[in-house]
Amino acid sequence: MDTDVRFGATWRRVTEFFRLMHSPGELRASDLTEVSGRPGSAEVLATATVCDSLNDPLRRVIVRIREGELAQVSDGKADSHAATWSCDGTRLAYLSAADPRRGHHLCVQGPDGCREIHLPGAAEQCVWAPTGASLLVRVADPGADKAGAEGSGHRPGTAGPANWLPAVDTAATTSPGRSLWLVEAETGATRPVPCGHTVWEVGYAGPDRAVAVVSAGATESDWYRAHLSVIDLDTGVATELYRSERQLGRPTGSPGGAWIAAVEADCSDRGIIAGTLLLFDHNGQPRPVDTGQVQVTAAQWLDDRRLAFSGMRGLASVVGVHDLVSGETRELWATEAGLGGLHEPDAYVQPDETVLAAVQQYRKPPAIVHRLAGASTVLVTATHAGTEALRAQIGDCATLSWEAPDGERIEGLFVTPNRPGPHPLIVYLHGGPIWAFRDRWLGSNPIIALLASHGYAVLCPNPRGSSGRGPEFVAPVLGDVGGLDGGDILAGVDHLVDAGPVDPARIGVMGGSYGGYMTAWLVTQDSRFKAAVPVAPVTHWRSLYYTTNIPRFVTNVVRAEPSEAGGVYEARSPLTYVANVRTPCLNVAGALDLCTPATEAHQFHRALLDHGVESALVVYPAEGHGIRTFPATVDYCTRVLDWFTRFMPADARSGR
């Protein structure tokens, strides 16, 4: 494989695909997320993703919807997101960075103009007080780890005294933490809230208290054992409210402070949660909310009586509201379309229970939709000049279900190209394992639509362990990685082969993170795959435990300690069975990845070569967990297409 692939025909085709997708240099939105409404007004804001150049990272800007068009609110040269209005609608706060490599700061716009407020670190979250007089800001210390869902790596750090000095780690080494700051909206005055814990996520719980997910330790791994505490904003005293064996997120209190809500679930990644919505009364006693089998991903208080929520039920996105007085839960919207952001559904619910949300499907670009009493109105779409050209080449997407070997019903999405079958098939596996595919524009990753545009069908399965079907659907994977979930995936392939739309002689597999693990695992267990692309993979659970920044993730999913000889750490690691592999593998990693370090891909590559298997290793020096930025994304997609074309070309058929 060439080191430089920029001058080939595939690179040119991939570049054209992304040019049509992003319209670089035109400040056109290719994605819309984080929708919010201005209290007392019809004004709607969102975060738009824009592309300045296919040689630069994508950027986010805050936009206002006006007469079906998007008008920019934030600085056009900065990366800005997380816009939120004060309760009276007079002030707007958001996070912004002229250079994201230096970290985000807080911006507050109001009657007196725009104020930039810099805190000692990178601002990660801002929340308005119920009074609108102040904000809570969660700040990451310089050098703190980023979550895997953000791409891993570190927050911007401070320069050391000399660049040759070594990094030193001992039992006494302390990690950069995350602190809580109070900001006065009118003056911009700031003060720390010294709660004595690392603050991972925060919400107000009345005017003078906060509720937060906190831990004593500051490492990324400590998040997996974080608990819920109530923090007095005057004294900083933190009082433990709830501790769980699972993970906690989305803490938020009712405006008057009488009730607190949070979500509890088994989670793979910090920042991604889909689970049980819990309510805590003034005595701190939790009770689950009956959400109609919806796994909740976001919660928002409408007033002291009503709690709105968004979440997943199977492949559907659902928005509802729970009345604490009557105990009634009502669904405001349920749709097979993808609501909210990439990782999970979210929506903004107004006091009259109007829903504002970003909505998209495989063939429908993101749109901001107003939903009330069952009627939907599109306020704006991200459709642009390149949309129709993309639609003409990406084929179609349909939901699919099949039966696993033990009789469980498994769901997924099936993308087919614009040509007659039987098609070559790429099985695209999601990360986590606790995550799920939803119906989104061009697929959850644009490489799905790119593969379809080159003649490949793509199966996106949600096997056991996936979000959206309750804790009983997640639980079987914990302690059984590669077991039932692997069987679910292979059963989906068998289903498509038996049904006839795919060519059994041309089946490939790829995925990232846990999907990278499953890719490496499946080629050790099944010889049907003609080519594979493990991205940011786990290839040995024990080596991962001792090198990752999230060892508690490993023990959470493996359900065993690495000091135990043999056992699941050996039995469920691809390296253990590498002698079985006959599938050519393109192993991809980011050099900055702290979650699944590049050594995981490297050792699998080396073992494949030792056993005479065709293998290539591609490590991107400026990428972390997954390949996310341009121009590396164009390079990565070029190599993936060339790999599958070489070993299972779309224009060749088995003659079945």
Side-chain angles (χ1 to χ4, degrees):
M1 175 172 283
D2 293 336
T3 301
D4 192 341
V5 296
R6 290 177 294 171
F7 305 104
T10 308
W11 178 281
R12 291 192 293 273
R13 291 196 299 270
V14 171
T15 298
E16 176 62 11
F17 178 90
F18 283 110
R19 188 190 67 78
L20 293 173
M21 178 180 176
H22 290 296
S23 295
E26 298 181 19
L27 276 179
R28 293 190 178 275
S30 56
D31 200 4
L32 294 167
T33 58
E34 299 180 329
V35 180
S36 63
R38 184 175 188 174
S41 165
E43 186 172 336
V44 178
L45 296 183
T47 299
T49 300
V50 299
C51 177
D52 297 317
S53 161
L54 293 181
N55 290 314
D56 297 301
L58 297 176
R59 192 163 53 83
R60 296 165 295 182
V61 296
I62 308 300
V63 293
R64 178 184 289 113
I65 299 170
R66 284 181 174 169
E67 299 178 353
E69 299 292 334
L70 298 174
Q72 193 163 315
V73 174
S74 59
D75 179 354
K77 298 180 180 179
D79 179 81
S80 304
H81 70 112
T84 177
W85 287 102
S86 60
C87 60
D88 59 4
T90 61
R91 297 183 188 275
L92 172 69
Y94 58 90
L95 306 181
S96 186
D99 181 355
R101 292 171 296 184
R102 300 180 63 183
H104 288 74
H105 58 268
L106 177 69
C107 289
V108 179
Q109 290 186 7
D112 48 354
C114 182
R115 186 190 304 274
E116 294 187 359
I117 300 167
H118 294 265
L119 295 159
E124 296 183 321
Q125 181 189 7
C126 60
V127 185
W128 280 103
T131 61
S134 60
L135 299 103
L136 284 173
V137 183
R138 176 168 52 86
V139 177
D141 291 345
D145 289 358
K146 294 191 294 184
E150 294 181 86
S152 191
H154 298 290
R155 292 287 180 222
T158 54
N163 60 12
W164 60 266
L165 285 172
V168 177
D169 185 27
T170 70
T173 300
T174 58
S175 298
R178 285 171 163 83
S179 57
L180 194 59
W181 289 74
L182 192 69
V183 178
E184 297 299 327
E186 186 171 351
T187 66
T190 67
R191 68 171 176 86
V193 181
C195 66
H197 292 77
T198 295
V199 179
W200 298 103
E201 200 171 353
V202 68
Y204 267 94
D208 54 7
R209 298 190 308 163
V211 56
V213 177
V214 301
S215 64
T219 71
E220 194 69 15
S221 195
D222 287 317
W223 172 80
Y224 291 88
R225 293 292 183 268
H227 60 276
L228 203 61
S229 282
V230 175
I231 302 171
D232 186 302
L233 296 178
D234 291 326
T235 65
V237 172
T239 304
E240 184 173 314
L241 178 66
Y242 184 67
R243 191 175 289 268
S244 174
E245 290 299 312
R246 302 162 78 194
Q247 284 70 58
L248 299 164
R250 309 299 181 262
T252 180
S254 59
W259 293 89
I260 286 172
V263 179
E264 178 184 46
D266 287 303
C267 299
S268 301
D269 299 271
R270 178 168 65 87
I272 302 177
I273 192 167
T276 302
L277 181 61
L278 297 178
L279 274 176
F280 300 84
D281 60 19
H282 64 282
N283 293 316
Q285 296 301 309
R287 65 175 174 87
V289 176
D290 182 2
T291 56
Q293 298 183 315
V294 174
Q295 299 299 289
V296 174
T297 56
Q300 171 202 346
W301 290 95
L302 304 185
D303 49 39
D304 283 318
R305 171 174 176 160
R306 293 174 300 158
L307 177 63
F309 61 87
S310 306
M312 306 168 64
R313 186 171 56 216
L315 291 169
S317 297
V318 183
V319 183
V321 63
H322 177 72
D323 189 308
L324 278 69
V325 176
S326 69
E328 177 190 12
T329 298
R330 301 185 308 281
E331 282 191 11
L332 304 179
W333 195 1
T335 175
E336 294 296 316
L339 290 188
L342 170 63
H343 297 302
E344 55 201 9
D346 65 78
Y348 180 85
V349 182
Q350 295 179 314
D352 65 354
E353 299 185 4
T354 295
V355 180
L356 298 169
V359 186
Q360 55 188 288
Q361 290 181 279
Y362 181 75
R363 291 185 57 81
K364 294 182 179 180
I368 304 298
V369 173
H370 171 287
R371 175 90 172 182
L372 179 62
S376 296
T377 303
V378 176
L379 303 181
V380 70
T381 76
T383 301
H384 56 82
T387 302
E388 287 308 315
L390 281 173
R391 282 195 183 115
Q393 59 183 275
I394 63 172
D396 208 350
C397 178
T399 59
L400 186 72
S401 68
W402 61 92
E403 192 173 283
D406 64 353
E408 181 71 68
R409 206 72 194 158
I410 307 300
E411 299 175 329
L413 299 172
F414 183 48
V415 176
T416 50
N418 287 333
R419 59 178 69 179
H423 310 292
L425 174 69
I426 306 299
V427 184
Y428 189 89
L429 305 174
H430 69 64
I434 307 169
W435 194 70
F437 287 112
R438 293 180 294 134
D439 194 359
R440 290 177 55 82
W441 170 234
L442 305 178
S444 294
N445 187 310
I447 200 169
I448 295 171
L450 182 63
L451 287 164
S453 73
H454 284 73
Y456 293 94
V458 184
L459 172 64
C460 302
N462 285 334
R464 245 76 65 99
S466 299
S467 305
R469 294 182 62 182
E472 64 280 358
F473 195 75
V474 169
V477 169
L478 305 178
D480 185 39
V481 290
L484 285 176
D485 53 350
D488 295 344
I489 294 163
L490 294 177
V493 176
D494 291 338
H495 172 77
L496 289 173
V497 169
D498 292 343
V502 304
D503 182 352
R506 291 180 295 159
I507 298 175
V509 61
M510 70 176 296
S513 192
Y514 189 84
Y517 160 71
M518 284 300 303
T519 298
W521 174 252
L522 288 176
V523 298
T524 71
Q525 305 297 304
D526 195 299
S527 62
R528 77 179 76 188
F529 299 105
K530 295 298 181 283
V533 184
V535 181
V538 178
T539 59
H540 200 289
W541 289 105
R542 184 170 283 106
S543 65
L544 179 70
Y545 178 89
Y546 287 117
T547 57
T548 181
N549 69 335
I550 48 172
R552 281 181 176 154
F553 160 77
V554 179
T555 53
N556 273 6
V557 297
V558 174
R559 290 294 199 256
E561 294 299 324
S563 56
E564 301 169 9
V568 67
Y569 280 84
E570 294 291 336
R572 294 301 170 86
S573 289
L575 270 178
T576 303
Y577 308 98
V578 71
N580 297 341
V581 180
R582 298 295 179 267
T583 303
C585 292
L586 171 61
N587 304 279
V588 180
L592 305 182
D593 193 347
L594 304 176
C595 298
T596 55
T599 48
E600 290 294 307
H602 199 157
Q603 65 188 3
F604 196 59
H605 166 66
R606 184 68 60 83
L608 290 169
L609 293 180
D610 283 352
H611 287 85
V613 179
E614 183 90 24
S615 178
L617 174 66
V618 177
V619 180
Y620 291 91
E623 297 296 308
H625 194 58
I627 313 307
R628 299 167 185 260
T629 63
F630 290 110
T633 295
V634 176
D635 184 277
Y636 160 67
C637 290
T638 298
R639 294 178 190 278
V640 170
L641 278 173
D642 282 346
W643 194 258
F644 285 124
T645 299
R646 177 182 171 190
F647 295 104
M648 42 176 289
D651 57 1
R653 300 191 182 186
S654 66
R656 184 185 67 164

